[in-house]
DNA sequence: GTCATATGTAACAAATAGGTTACATATTAA
DNA sequence: TTAATATGTAACCTATTTGTTACATATGAC
């Protein structure tokens, strides 16, 4: 159903805080209209509509026309799909890797702090 | 540790198929160098390095210098974080919503197909 | 029908992303 | 030391994203 062809669109849609916030609002207020949603943001209604079209391309939001208002609904299916993919593809991997990577991350943090001073013998 | 401030970077990093493929390769071949990784892609090494810097900003890849090669490692922690966030924030919501949303998605599919023909009385 | 409301479209501008080539630096091998 | 290897940086170009304003269309209230 939802596959790798859509993953770009899903992650892209989720990559911006304002769109995640829109998702939250639509999730909390199913059937909210475009204008009502836009009033929660300080960018223009058109900007919000563009964000909505990104969310709709990712199928994270679906809408239906009801008179002159377009009602918006949150669709969790794509998130479910990614959840499942991660559970099967990554979860098994975590246990064994996390400790070593944690060490490396710390080492890297140290490297960043000290990277400018280097002995020039 | 990893928080909302980083979510943009994480989703952004995962939003491109080539970067997800890099992650897969680095996960399969821990310690692979930049050039070796780049040879798996048909864009330039510099383009691959830019993708790597996106992945490193998201902390999905960490690296350590080993002589003249920079060794790359996959770090699953950010993915774990998102996994956890979704599990707690969305999972409970899915059960009740999926059926209705499925209906709406189908309705929308129908709307798309018929949106161009409209009676002009 | 007329007016207000809700949404949609077009055209444009600025910022960011994603790619290139050319050149620089650092390390290993000879 | 010299040459090959591995990576890094700078400058530049193009495409996409993200935003704007102005105008168009569709629906509900009167």
């Amino acid at each position: 159903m939802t596959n790798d062809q859509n993953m770009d669109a899903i992650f892209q849609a989720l990559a911006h805080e304002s769109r995640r916030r829109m998702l939250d609002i639509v999730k909390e207020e199913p059937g909210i209209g475009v204008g009502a949603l836009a009033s929660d943001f300080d960018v223009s209604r058109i900007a919000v509509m563009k964000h909505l079209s990104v969310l709709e391309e990712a199928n994270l939001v679906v809408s239906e026309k009801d008179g002159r208002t377009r009602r918006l609904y949150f669709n969790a299916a794509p998130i479910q799909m990614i959840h499942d993919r991660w559970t099967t593809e990554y979860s098994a991997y975590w246990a064994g890797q996390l400790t070593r990577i944690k060490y490396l991350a710390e080492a890297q943090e140290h490297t960043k702090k000290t990277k400018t001073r280097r002995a020039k013998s």
Side-chain angles (χ1 to χ4, degrees), chain A:
Chain A
M1 181 193 180
T2 310
N3 53 26
D4 272 40
Q5 294 165 357
N6 295 334
M7 291 193 64
D8 281 22
I10 296 166
F11 284 125
Q12 174 89 29
L14 293 170
H16 293 268
E17 199 274 335
S18 53
R19 286 198 288 259
R20 292 197 301 275
R21 195 146 56 88
M22 284 178 200
L23 264 194
D24 285 339
I25 293 171
V26 170
K27 178 161 72 81
E28 292 303 314
E29 300 184 53
I32 191 174
V34 174
L37 176 65
S39 68
D40 284 342
F41 295 83
D42 54 1
V43 295
S44 71
R45 177 181 58 86
I46 284 79
V48 170
M49 292 213 320
K50 289 190 182 182
H51 284 302
L52 279 174
S53 67
V54 172
L55 290 168
E56 285 191 318
E57 271 173 33
N59 207 29
L60 285 160
V61 160
V62 293
S63 63
E64 58 179 358
K65 252 308 177 66
D66 174 21
R68 63 186 161 184
T69 89
R70 181 156 65 96
R71 307 211 166 276
L72 305 168
Y73 301 92
F74 172 61
N75 181 20
I79 288 177
Q80 173 84 66
M81 186 274 299
I82 288 177
H83 179 279
D84 291 347
R85 188 187 149 114
W86 279 357
T87 301
T88 56
E89 290 189 22
Y90 293 102
S91 288
Y93 191 75
W94 291 335
Q97 292 289 312
L98 274 177
T99 310
R100 185 165 63 79
I101 296 301
K102 186 156 179 286
Y103 164 74
L104 280 167
E106 281 162 6
Q108 191 196 33
E109 202 63 29
H110 177 72
T111 304
K112 271 180 192 161
K113 280 171 192 152
T114 59
K115 74 178 170 189
T116 43
R117 38 190 169 89
R118 202 184 329 101
K120 21 179 107 173
S121 60

